[in-house]
mmCIF file of all heavy atoms in Angstrom:
data_model
loop_
_atom_site.group_PDB
_atom_site.id
_atom_site.type_symbol
_atom_site.label_atom_id
_atom_site.label_comp_id
_atom_site.label_asym_id
_atom_site.label_seq_id
_atom_site.Cartn_x
_atom_site.Cartn_y
_atom_site.Cartn_z
ATOM 1 N N GLU O 1 -6.614 -0.301 -13.999
ATOM 2 C CA GLU O 1 -6.587 1.150 -14.219
ATOM 3 C C GLU O 1 -5.166 1.687 -14.364
ATOM 4 O O GLU O 1 -4.917 2.574 -15.179
ATOM 5 C CB GLU O 1 -7.281 1.858 -13.042
ATOM 6 C CG GLU O 1 -7.359 3.369 -13.171
ATOM 7 C CD GLU O 1 -8.299 3.822 -14.266
ATOM 8 O OE1 GLU O 1 -9.114 3.001 -14.756
ATOM 9 O OE2 GLU O 1 -8.223 5.009 -14.641
ATOM 10 N N LEU O 2 -4.241 1.159 -13.576
ATOM 11 C CA LEU O 2 -2.873 1.679 -13.542
ATOM 12 C C LEU O 2 -1.933 0.671 -14.195
ATOM 13 O O LEU O 2 -1.132 0.005 -13.520
ATOM 14 C CB LEU O 2 -2.444 1.970 -12.103
ATOM 15 C CG LEU O 2 -3.287 2.999 -11.341
ATOM 16 C CD1 LEU O 2 -2.838 3.100 -9.892
ATOM 17 C CD2 LEU O 2 -3.232 4.366 -12.017
ATOM 18 N N VAL O 3 -2.021 0.565 -15.486
ATOM 19 C CA VAL O 3 -1.203 -0.387 -16.232
ATOM 20 C C VAL O 3 0.270 -0.013 -16.106
ATOM 21 O O VAL O 3 0.650 1.149 -16.263
ATOM 22 C CB VAL O 3 -1.617 -0.409 -17.722
ATOM 23 C CG1 VAL O 3 -0.725 -1.366 -18.514
ATOM 24 C CG2 VAL O 3 -3.081 -0.802 -17.853
ATOM 25 N N GLY O 4 1.095 -0.997 -15.777
ATOM 26 C CA GLY O 4 2.518 -0.739 -15.612
ATOM 27 C C GLY O 4 2.921 -0.400 -14.194
ATOM 28 O O GLY O 4 4.108 -0.258 -13.895
ATOM 29 N N TRP O 5 1.932 -0.259 -13.310
ATOM 30 C CA TRP O 5 2.211 0.027 -11.904
ATOM 31 C C TRP O 5 2.225 -1.277 -11.105
ATOM 32 O O TRP O 5 1.622 -2.266 -11.490
ATOM 33 C CB TRP O 5 1.124 0.937 -11.317
ATOM 34 C CG TRP O 5 1.189 2.356 -11.760
ATOM 35 C CD1 TRP O 5 1.212 2.826 -13.036
ATOM 36 C CD2 TRP O 5 1.211 3.506 -10.906
ATOM 37 N NE1 TRP O 5 1.248 4.196 -13.051
ATOM 38 C CE2 TRP O 5 1.244 4.640 -11.752
ATOM 39 C CE3 TRP O 5 1.206 3.694 -9.533
ATOM 40 C CZ2 TRP O 5 1.278 5.939 -11.248
ATOM 41 C CZ3 TRP O 5 1.232 4.981 -9.026
ATOM 42 C CH2 TRP O 5 1.274 6.097 -9.881
ATOM 43 N N ASN O 6 2.905 -1.248 -9.963
ATOM 44 C CA ASN O 6 2.800 -2.321 -8.985
ATOM 45 C C ASN O 6 1.663 -2.003 -8.024
ATOM 46 O O ASN O 6 1.524 -0.847 -7.592
ATOM 47 C CB ASN O 6 4.091 -2.455 -8.169
ATOM 48 C CG ASN O 6 5.237 -2.996 -8.989
ATOM 49 O OD1 ASN O 6 5.064 -3.922 -9.777
ATOM 50 N ND2 ASN O 6 6.410 -2.408 -8.815
ATOM 51 N N VAL O 7 0.880 -3.001 -7.677
ATOM 52 C CA VAL O 7 -0.142 -2.853 -6.644
ATOM 53 C C VAL O 7 0.166 -3.885 -5.568
ATOM 54 O O VAL O 7 0.061 -5.087 -5.800
ATOM 55 C CB VAL O 7 -1.559 -3.060 -7.202
ATOM 56 C CG1 VAL O 7 -2.588 -2.865 -6.091
ATOM 57 C CG2 VAL O 7 -1.836 -2.095 -8.348
ATOM 58 N N ILE O 8 0.593 -3.413 -4.407
ATOM 59 C CA ILE O 8 0.964 -4.299 -3.295
ATOM 60 C C ILE O 8 -0.167 -4.299 -2.280
ATOM 61 O O ILE O 8 -0.606 -3.242 -1.818
ATOM 62 C CB ILE O 8 2.253 -3.809 -2.617
ATOM 63 C CG1 ILE O 8 3.395 -3.760 -3.635
ATOM 64 C CG2 ILE O 8 2.617 -4.709 -1.443
ATOM 65 C CD1 ILE O 8 4.681 -3.204 -3.059
ATOM 66 N N ASP O 9 -0.658 -5.464 -1.933
ATOM 67 C CA ASP O 9 -1.750 -5.551 -0.955
ATOM 68 C C ASP O 9 -1.243 -6.164 0.349
ATOM 69 O O ASP O 9 -0.550 -7.170 0.367
ATOM 70 C CB ASP O 9 -2.924 -6.354 -1.505
ATOM 71 C CG ASP O 9 -2.543 -7.771 -1.891
ATOM 72 O OD1 ASP O 9 -1.665 -7.936 -2.750
ATOM 73 O OD2 ASP O 9 -3.127 -8.721 -1.328
ATOM 74 N N LEU O 10 -1.587 -5.502 1.450
ATOM 75 C CA LEU O 10 -1.185 -5.924 2.780
ATOM 76 C C LEU O 10 -2.400 -5.968 3.693
ATOM 77 O O LEU O 10 -3.347 -5.196 3.524
ATOM 78 C CB LEU O 10 -0.152 -4.955 3.367
ATOM 79 C CG LEU O 10 1.114 -4.680 2.544
ATOM 80 C CD1 LEU O 10 1.937 -3.589 3.217
ATOM 81 C CD2 LEU O 10 1.922 -5.945 2.380
ATOM 82 N N ILE O 11 -2.356 -6.844 4.678
ATOM 83 C CA ILE O 11 -3.450 -6.937 5.640
ATOM 84 C C ILE O 11 -3.298 -5.902 6.752
ATOM 85 O O ILE O 11 -4.281 -5.415 7.305
ATOM 86 C CB ILE O 11 -3.534 -8.364 6.217
ATOM 87 C CG1 ILE O 11 -4.068 -9.317 5.150
ATOM 88 C CG2 ILE O 11 -4.409 -8.427 7.450
ATOM 89 C CD1 ILE O 11 -4.143 -10.750 5.591
ATOM 90 N N SER O 12 -2.069 -5.555 7.069
ATOM 91 C CA SER O 12 -1.850 -4.573 8.130
ATOM 92 C C SER O 12 -0.526 -3.849 7.897
ATOM 93 O O SER O 12 0.292 -4.249 7.064
ATOM 94 C CB SER O 12 -1.826 -5.264 9.503
ATOM 95 O OG SER O 12 -0.609 -5.974 9.676
ATOM 96 N N THR O 13 -0.320 -2.782 8.666
ATOM 97 C CA THR O 13 0.931 -2.026 8.554
ATOM 98 C C THR O 13 2.115 -2.821 9.072
ATOM 99 O O THR O 13 3.263 -2.427 8.854
ATOM 100 C CB THR O 13 0.825 -0.691 9.322
ATOM 101 O OG1 THR O 13 0.438 -0.956 10.690
ATOM 102 C CG2 THR O 13 -0.191 0.240 8.693
ATOM 103 N N GLU O 14 1.864 -3.946 9.763
ATOM 104 C CA GLU O 14 2.957 -4.785 10.248
ATOM 105 C C GLU O 14 3.796 -5.343 9.103
ATOM 106 O O GLU O 14 4.953 -5.735 9.302
ATOM 107 C CB GLU O 14 2.400 -5.930 11.098
ATOM 108 C CG GLU O 14 1.745 -5.478 12.394
ATOM 109 C CD GLU O 14 1.141 -6.640 13.163
ATOM 110 O OE1 GLU O 14 1.278 -7.787 12.694
ATOM 111 O OE2 GLU O 14 0.539 -6.392 14.219
ATOM 112 N N SER O 15 3.208 -5.386 7.902
ATOM 113 C CA SER O 15 3.906 -5.959 6.752
ATOM 114 C C SER O 15 4.555 -4.900 5.858
ATOM 115 O O SER O 15 5.040 -5.226 4.780
ATOM 116 C CB SER O 15 2.928 -6.789 5.919
ATOM 117 O OG SER O 15 2.313 -7.778 6.710
ATOM 118 N N LEU O 16 4.562 -3.633 6.284
ATOM 119 C CA LEU O 16 5.064 -2.561 5.429
ATOM 120 C C LEU O 16 6.522 -2.736 5.018
ATOM 121 O O LEU O 16 6.920 -2.316 3.932
ATOM 122 C CB LEU O 16 4.896 -1.205 6.133
ATOM 123 C CG LEU O 16 3.528 -0.540 6.017
ATOM 124 C CD1 LEU O 16 3.469 0.678 6.934
ATOM 125 C CD2 LEU O 16 3.235 -0.141 4.577
ATOM 126 N N ASP O 17 7.309 -3.365 5.867
ATOM 127 C CA ASP O 17 8.726 -3.533 5.534
ATOM 128 C C ASP O 17 8.925 -4.326 4.252
ATOM 129 O O ASP O 17 9.963 -4.202 3.587
ATOM 130 C CB ASP O 17 9.455 -4.226 6.685
ATOM 131 C CG ASP O 17 9.686 -3.291 7.869
ATOM 132 O OD1 ASP O 17 9.505 -2.063 7.695
ATOM 133 O OD2 ASP O 17 10.026 -3.785 8.962
ATOM 134 N N SER O 18 7.933 -5.144 3.881
ATOM 135 C CA SER O 18 8.053 -5.947 2.660
ATOM 136 C C SER O 18 8.074 -5.075 1.408
ATOM 137 O O SER O 18 8.492 -5.522 0.342
ATOM 138 C CB SER O 18 6.899 -6.954 2.562
ATOM 139 O OG SER O 18 5.659 -6.291 2.367
ATOM 140 N N ALA O 19 7.622 -3.825 1.529
ATOM 141 C CA ALA O 19 7.568 -2.922 0.370
ATOM 142 C C ALA O 19 8.720 -1.932 0.340
ATOM 143 O O ALA O 19 8.796 -1.111 -0.568
ATOM 144 C CB ALA O 19 6.240 -2.161 0.372
ATOM 145 N N LEU O 20 9.612 -1.983 1.312
ATOM 146 C CA LEU O 20 10.737 -1.045 1.343
ATOM 147 C C LEU O 20 11.572 -1.182 0.072
ATOM 148 O O LEU O 20 11.861 -2.284 -0.388
ATOM 149 C CB LEU O 20 11.609 -1.305 2.574
ATOM 150 C CG LEU O 20 10.993 -0.925 3.923
ATOM 151 C CD1 LEU O 20 11.911 -1.349 5.066
ATOM 152 C CD2 LEU O 20 10.701 0.567 3.996
ATOM 153 N N GLY O 21 11.947 -0.066 -0.487
ATOM 154 C CA GLY O 21 12.704 -0.055 -1.722
ATOM 155 C C GLY O 21 11.859 0.174 -2.953
ATOM 156 O O GLY O 21 12.386 0.500 -4.015
ATOM 157 N N ALA O 22 10.541 0.024 -2.809
ATOM 158 C CA ALA O 22 9.639 0.268 -3.936
ATOM 159 C C ALA O 22 9.402 1.765 -4.099
ATOM 160 O O ALA O 22 9.533 2.542 -3.149
ATOM 161 C CB ALA O 22 8.304 -0.447 -3.723
ATOM 162 N N GLU O 23 9.033 2.170 -5.313
ATOM 163 C CA GLU O 23 8.737 3.571 -5.621
ATOM 164 C C GLU O 23 7.268 3.830 -5.291
ATOM 165 O O GLU O 23 6.402 3.840 -6.164
ATOM 166 C CB GLU O 23 9.017 3.849 -7.098
ATOM 167 C CG GLU O 23 8.820 5.292 -7.511
ATOM 168 C CD GLU O 23 9.794 6.236 -6.839
ATOM 169 O OE1 GLU O 23 10.930 5.807 -6.539
ATOM 170 O OE2 GLU O 23 9.413 7.386 -6.603
ATOM 171 N N VAL O 24 6.980 4.025 -4.008
ATOM 172 C CA VAL O 24 5.602 4.124 -3.540
ATOM 173 C C VAL O 24 5.047 5.523 -3.805
ATOM 174 O O VAL O 24 5.554 6.513 -3.288
ATOM 175 C CB VAL O 24 5.499 3.772 -2.045
ATOM 176 C CG1 VAL O 24 4.064 3.927 -1.560
ATOM 177 C CG2 VAL O 24 6.000 2.350 -1.798
ATOM 178 N N ARG O 25 3.985 5.580 -4.600
ATOM 179 C CA ARG O 25 3.364 6.860 -4.960
ATOM 180 C C ARG O 25 2.076 7.124 -4.195
ATOM 181 O O ARG O 25 1.599 8.245 -4.151
ATOM 182 C CB ARG O 25 3.035 6.861 -6.456
ATOM 183 C CG ARG O 25 4.238 6.641 -7.368
ATOM 184 C CD ARG O 25 5.131 7.859 -7.458
ATOM 185 N NE ARG O 25 6.235 7.628 -8.377
ATOM 186 C CZ ARG O 25 6.157 7.783 -9.689
ATOM 187 N NH1 ARG O 25 5.021 8.179 -10.251
ATOM 188 N NH2 ARG O 25 7.206 7.547 -10.455
ATOM 189 N N LEU O 26 1.501 6.080 -3.590
ATOM 190 C CA LEU O 26 0.236 6.250 -2.866
ATOM 191 C C LEU O 26 0.040 5.069 -1.927
ATOM 192 O O LEU O 26 0.350 3.925 -2.276
ATOM 193 C CB LEU O 26 -0.947 6.316 -3.844
ATOM 194 C CG LEU O 26 -2.344 6.413 -3.221
ATOM 195 C CD1 LEU O 26 -2.524 7.747 -2.496
ATOM 196 C CD2 LEU O 26 -3.429 6.264 -4.290
ATOM 197 N N ILE O 27 -0.481 5.360 -0.728
ATOM 198 C CA ILE O 27 -0.850 4.315 0.224
ATOM 199 C C ILE O 27 -2.312 4.496 0.586
ATOM 200 O O ILE O 27 -2.743 5.579 0.987
ATOM 201 C CB ILE O 27 0.025 4.375 1.487
ATOM 202 C CG1 ILE O 27 1.495 4.113 1.118
ATOM 203 C CG2 ILE O 27 -0.447 3.360 2.524
ATOM 204 C CD1 ILE O 27 2.459 4.243 2.270
ATOM 205 N N VAL O 28 -3.081 3.433 0.416
ATOM 206 C CA VAL O 28 -4.513 3.439 0.720
ATOM 207 C C VAL O 28 -4.721 2.601 1.970
ATOM 208 O O VAL O 28 -4.423 1.401 1.988
ATOM 209 C CB VAL O 28 -5.334 2.862 -0.453
ATOM 210 C CG1 VAL O 28 -6.823 2.930 -0.128
ATOM 211 C CG2 VAL O 28 -5.035 3.623 -1.741
ATOM 212 N N LEU O 29 -5.226 3.217 3.027
ATOM 213 C CA LEU O 29 -5.378 2.562 4.323
ATOM 214 C C LEU O 29 -6.849 2.450 4.698
ATOM 215 O O LEU O 29 -7.588 3.436 4.644
ATOM 216 C CB LEU O 29 -4.630 3.364 5.395
ATOM 217 C CG LEU O 29 -4.773 2.906 6.853
ATOM 218 C CD1 LEU O 29 -4.158 1.523 7.053
ATOM 219 C CD2 LEU O 29 -4.110 3.924 7.783
ATOM 220 N N ASP O 30 -7.264 1.255 5.100
ATOM 221 C CA ASP O 30 -8.650 1.043 5.517
ATOM 222 C C ASP O 30 -8.887 1.692 6.877
ATOM 223 O O ASP O 30 -8.139 1.450 7.837
ATOM 224 C CB ASP O 30 -8.931 -0.460 5.594
ATOM 225 C CG ASP O 30 -10.368 -0.763 6.006
ATOM 226 O OD1 ASP O 30 -11.251 0.098 5.775
ATOM 227 O OD2 ASP O 30 -10.605 -1.853 6.545
ATOM 228 N N LEU O 31 -9.930 2.526 6.948
ATOM 229 C CA LEU O 31 -10.288 3.154 8.214
ATOM 230 C C LEU O 31 -10.862 2.116 9.181
ATOM 231 O O LEU O 31 -10.731 2.235 10.404
ATOM 232 C CB LEU O 31 -11.296 4.278 7.967
ATOM 233 C CG LEU O 31 -11.553 5.262 9.100
ATOM 234 C CD1 LEU O 31 -10.266 5.911 9.576
ATOM 235 C CD2 LEU O 31 -12.543 6.323 8.656
ATOM 236 N N ALA O 32 -11.539 1.108 8.626
ATOM 237 C CA ALA O 32 -12.038 -0.037 9.413
ATOM 238 C C ALA O 32 -12.915 0.377 10.598
ATOM 239 O O ALA O 32 -12.819 -0.198 11.688
ATOM 240 C CB ALA O 32 -10.864 -0.888 9.893
ATOM 241 N N GLY O 33 -13.745 1.378 10.391
ATOM 242 C CA GLY O 33 -14.679 1.794 11.430
ATOM 243 C C GLY O 33 -14.059 2.608 12.544
ATOM 244 O O GLY O 33 -14.752 2.979 13.505
ATOM 245 N N ARG O 34 -12.776 2.898 12.439
ATOM 246 C CA ARG O 34 -12.107 3.661 13.500
ATOM 247 C C ARG O 34 -12.354 5.159 13.360
ATOM 248 O O ARG O 34 -12.607 5.656 12.273
ATOM 249 C CB ARG O 34 -10.596 3.407 13.465
ATOM 250 C CG ARG O 34 -10.197 1.980 13.725
ATOM 251 C CD ARG O 34 -8.708 1.760 13.519
ATOM 252 N NE ARG O 34 -8.326 1.856 12.121
ATOM 253 C CZ ARG O 34 -7.095 1.633 11.669
ATOM 254 N NH1 ARG O 34 -6.135 1.321 12.523
ATOM 255 N NH2 ARG O 34 -6.821 1.730 10.379
ATOM 256 N N GLY O 35 -12.255 5.847 14.457
ATOM 257 C CA GLY O 35 -12.300 7.294 14.403
ATOM 258 C C GLY O 35 -10.967 7.828 13.923
ATOM 259 O O GLY O 35 -9.922 7.185 14.105
#
């Protein structure tokens, strides 16, 4: 859908530092049944 964009997939927020420096326009976070 987003041709020309980067899509970075992570298992948890513990890995967020790996994306530092990227032009992040949106973050999609799994609610995972949590309130």
Side-chain angles (χ1 to χ4, degrees):
E1 182 69 15
L2 300 175
V3 178
W5 286 54
N6 290 318
V7 181
I8 301 176
D9 59 301
L10 305 174
I11 288 178
S12 74
T13 55
E14 294 177 2
S15 304
L16 277 172
D17 285 347
S18 67
L20 290 175
E23 183 65 31
V24 178
R25 302 286 182 84
L26 177 67
I27 297 176
V28 182
L29 175 65
D30 181 25
L31 194 55
R34 297 173 291 184

